[in-house]
Amino acid sequence: MSIVLWSILALVGGFGALWFAARMTRSGSPPLPDDVELPATPLQRISRWGIGLSVLLAAAAVSLVLVNGAEATFESDALRITFTLLLLAIIVVVGATTIWLRAQVSRGGGLLDERDREILGRAPAAQVAGMLVTLAIWIVGLAEHFHDSGVVPVFYLYLVFWSVVVVDLVGLPVGVLIGYRRH
C-alpha cells in the first residue's frame, strides 16, 4: 500500500479512536427528547470554531504534502517552513481554544454550569487513545512500506510527529462536542 494511503489511514484511525473513546467516556445522563433543542453553549461554540479552523489548516498542510510529496516537502526550505507554519497555526488555534476553556473553568463565573464542567472534565479522555492509534498505524504503515530497505526516511518521522500532535490537540474540542451529544 502507498505511504500516502498509510498516512491518511493513520489520521483517520486517530480521529476515529478519538470519537470512539470520547463516546465511551460520556456520562450516563438520559438523552433529551427529540423535540427539545437547546441553544449552543459557549463551550460548544468555541470548540466548533477551534475544530473548524484546525481542520482548514490541517487540510492545507496535508494538501501541501500530497501535491508536492513528502520528500520534496521536507527537502525544500520554503515548503517545509510553510508546512511547519500551518501546523504551528493549528497549535495556536487549539491552544487558544484550550486556554479559553480552562480559563472559564478556573474563573468560576456563571458562564459554565456543572454540566459544562463535567463535560470538560471528561473531554481529554479520548486524546491518548487517538494518539496511540495514530502512532500505531504510522508504525505499521512505515514498517510495511520500507521493510525491504530496512530504513525509514527521516521526513516521515517529521510527519509522524506532527500528525500525533494534531490528533492530540484536536482531541479536547472533539471530546467536548461529543460530550454534549449525550446531554
Side-chain angles (χ1 to χ4, degrees):
M1 185 169 11
S2 167
I3 196 68
V4 172
L5 294 176
W6 278 108
S7 61
I8 291 170
L9 182 63
L11 289 172
V12 169
F15 286 122
L18 280 174
W19 176 83
F20 181 75
R23 290 198 43 99
M24 292 292 105
T25 60
R26 292 186 306 185
S27 68
S29 303
L32 291 171
D34 290 335
D35 59 338
V36 175
E37 189 170 325
L38 297 174
T41 67
L43 197 57
Q44 285 175 296
R45 286 193 300 273
I46 194 71
S47 294
R48 285 183 188 142
W49 273 104
I51 290 171
L53 290 174
S54 296
V55 166
L56 287 175
L57 292 166
V62 167
S63 65
L64 183 71
V65 173
L66 289 176
V67 167
N68 298 297
E71 189 171 355
T73 302
F74 186 74
E75 289 177 356
S76 168
D77 288 342
L79 291 175
R80 187 178 64 252
I81 289 170
T82 303
F83 178 77
T84 304
L85 287 175
L86 286 168
L87 295 170
L88 289 174
I90 293 171
I91 291 173
V92 168
V93 166
V94 178
T97 301
T98 303
I99 290 169
W100 185 89
L101 292 172
R102 298 290 182 196
Q104 296 308 313
V105 169
S106 65
R107 250 187 237 154
L111 191 58
L112 300 180
D113 60 15
E114 56 277 347
R115 177 185 62 145
D116 297 327
R117 292 186 202 303
E118 178 189 347
I119 288 170
L120 192 55
R122 292 175 183 258
Q127 289 174 295
V128 173
M131 288 173 38
L132 289 176
V133 169
T134 302
L135 191 56
I137 293 171
W138 265 116
I139 296 302
V140 169
L142 291 173
E144 287 297 317
H145 191 271
F146 295 107
H147 182 266
D148 293 337
S149 67
V151 177
V152 176
V154 172
F155 52 86
Y156 286 109
L157 300 177
Y158 193 68
L159 294 177
V160 169
F161 170 75
W162 282 111
S163 64
V164 169
V165 168
V166 168
V167 167
D168 176 53
L169 291 174
V170 174
L172 182 67
V174 166
V176 166
L177 292 179
I178 290 174
Y180 278 102
R181 292 185 55 91
R182 176 80 170 206
H183 282 278

